[in-house]
Amino acid sequence: MEGMARSSDKNITRVLFCGPHFPASHNYTKEYLQNYPSIQVDVIPISDAPDVIANYHLCVVKTMRLDSNVISRANQMKLIMQFGVGLEGVDINAATRCGIKVARIPGDVTGNAASCAELTIYLMLGLLRKQNEMRMAIEQKKLGVPTGETLLGKTVFILGFGNIGVELAKRLRPFGVKIIATKRSWASHSQVSCQSSVKNGIIDDLVDEKGCHEDIFKFASMADVVVCCLSLNKQTAGIVNKSFLSSMKKGSLLVNIARGGLLDYEAIAHYLESGHLGGLGIDVAWTEPFDPNDPILKFKNVLITPHVGGVTEHSYRSMAKVVGDVALQLHAGTPLTGLEFVN
């Protein structure tokens, strides 16, 4: 709590990072702002946030849930933002009522989406080449096992073709895969409806078959690998459930690079146990930090990483610059740039 903002401090713009996780976020931001004494950056335990949030002008939520009760105490707050894109933990309506802007950092300009796409390929390859079994073979001094599979010739279903989906498709093309993808509306990328055909442009080059939300079960039945790239909201929570998993081909793989809440835990466990789901690779989990004793880890075809999809030097330095610049803009009273506002 050392260096915590005091209400008596004048002419200081105070930035609050909630919680200890993703430490590079606040460390890089502090480093970027180290020559600006008018900006104070504090990192506090999540449990302390309700008691001190009134002293801050900008809040970077990270994994904290900001409900209406906490937001109502933030009487000096100008902006609530995420160090990345996920804002499902913020009561945006409550912030709007309190006159507080809420924003994310677009992943396509900071390298965040590219970083997530690269980790997705890591998880896909790890499942296909049976990473856990390779480690076991080394421990048992075996050679030439296990027999893995290639990405070559596979059909990959990108569930949610946003910024991460686009970056993933770009990187998958050289592997010789068929790419199918769904998106609620393709207008943001192609300016055409879901049923229309794009004669020119990036989407035709990246996606072999496009679909809308109602096509997800059909596309799941066609895919060797399903990758979840959806944002988490009321419509998408638990979308990968028994109905979805049963529509997938037996032995196909599932990778989640987006949010843990997209997957129905009980359904995932059931289909792993039955052998219908051929492998699971997740960078995000149902509860975070992930329980290292979770029964799902008993399966040798499960790979998990500790929510590091976007945590690379490139993306985190870029996002720290955005946060730092926004803090300086708040202090100067100039328009805020580099953000995507949601209210």
Side-chain angles (χ1 to χ4, degrees):
M1 303 288 285
E2 183 178 356
M4 173 118 3
R6 298 176 298 278
S7 58
S8 60
D9 293 336
K10 301 296 182 182
N11 300 318
I12 299 290
T13 294
R14 306 179 192 92
V15 180
L16 175 64
F17 279 79
C18 300
H21 300 301
F22 306 94
S25 63
H26 49 257
N27 290 336
Y28 288 177
T29 302
K30 284 183 175 182
E31 185 178 324
Y32 182 75
L33 291 168
Q34 61 185 338
N35 295 323
Y36 297 93
S38 60
I39 311 296
Q40 178 176 318
V41 179
D42 292 331
V43 185
I44 66 165
I46 287 176
S47 59
D48 292 343
D51 296 327
V52 302
I53 199 167
N55 296 325
Y56 291 90
H57 306 100
L58 190 162
C59 177
V60 181
V61 293
K62 297 200 284 185
T63 60
M64 182 174 180
R65 302 194 68 83
L66 280 188
D67 59 21
S68 58
N69 175 56
V70 177
I71 291 173
S72 67
R73 303 182 185 195
N75 51 33
Q76 294 189 73
M77 191 67 62
K78 303 297 183 185
L79 174 68
I80 295 170
M81 65 180 293
Q82 182 57 281
F83 201 89
V85 297
L87 289 167
E88 63 275 1
V90 179
D91 188 331
I92 297 171
N93 291 330
T96 303
R97 289 193 300 270
C98 293
I100 302 171
K101 299 299 290 183
V102 181
R104 59 169 59 93
I105 302 176
D108 55 339
V109 295
T110 60
N112 184 62
S115 298
C116 289
E118 289 184 6
L119 189 73
T120 302
I121 292 176
Y122 164 82
L123 290 169
M124 293 168 68
L125 292 172
L127 291 173
L128 287 164
R129 300 307 294 266
K130 303 179 180 177
Q131 179 176 309
N132 289 335
E133 292 180 56
M134 285 194 285
R135 187 187 69 249
M136 293 165 56
I138 291 172
E139 292 171 351
Q140 297 167 9
K141 297 184 178 181
K142 293 181 179 180
L143 297 176
V145 291
T147 301
E149 296 187 53
T150 63
L151 260 177
L152 177 66
K154 297 293 190 294
T155 296
V156 179
F157 171 24
I158 301 176
L159 177 59
F161 199 73
N163 290 327
I164 295 175
V166 169
E167 295 297 330
L168 176 60
K170 290 178 185 177
R171 287 156 178 79
L172 283 175
R173 266 292 172 238
F175 283 94
V177 301
K178 179 181 179 180
I179 299 173
I180 60 178
T182 54
K183 182 178 174 69
R184 287 189 181 274
S185 171
W186 288 91
S188 61
H189 281 114
S190 61
Q191 300 303 313
V192 295
S193 69
C194 178
Q195 290 74 29
S196 300
S197 173
V198 185
K199 299 301 182 185
N200 298 294
I202 189 173
I203 299 304
D204 263 359
D205 294 333
L206 294 179
V207 180
D208 296 298
E209 186 172 347
K210 303 187 297 293
C212 291
H213 177 68
E214 56 265 27
D215 298 313
I216 63 173
F217 296 120
K218 181 182 78 172
F219 277 33
S221 70
M222 299 162 56
D224 300 295
V225 184
V226 176
V227 182
C228 294
C229 298
L230 292 165
S231 57
L232 180 63
N233 52 48
K234 292 179 180 178
Q235 289 72 41
T236 61
I239 193 170
V240 179
N241 53 21
K242 287 187 176 181
S243 297
F244 185 94
L245 292 164
S246 64
S247 70
M248 292 174 62
K249 292 196 296 186
K250 179 177 174 58
S252 57
L253 308 177
L254 176 64
V255 174
N256 186 9
I257 196 70
R259 286 292 184 267
L262 297 170
L263 275 54
D264 181 321
Y265 178 87
E266 298 299 330
I268 294 291
H270 171 76
Y271 281 91
L272 281 170
E273 188 73 52
S274 71
H276 183 84
L277 185 58
L280 174 69
I282 54 175
D283 183 52
V284 288
W286 302 268
T287 58
E288 293 183 337
F290 194 71
D291 179 5
N293 297 312
D294 192 295
I296 213 164
L297 293 180
K298 73 180 182 181
F299 298 102
K300 62 184 178 182
N301 56 346
V302 171
L303 296 179
I304 182 169
T305 50
H307 204 144
V308 291
V311 186
T312 61
E313 185 80 13
H314 173 67
S315 67
Y316 263 47
R317 292 286 184 191
S318 299
M319 289 191 289
K321 182 180 185 302
V322 172
V323 176
D325 288 345
V326 166
L328 292 168
Q329 291 161 356
L330 270 181
H331 187 76
T334 56
L336 306 182
T337 60
L339 300 175
E340 177 187 330
F341 291 95
V342 298
N343 67 344

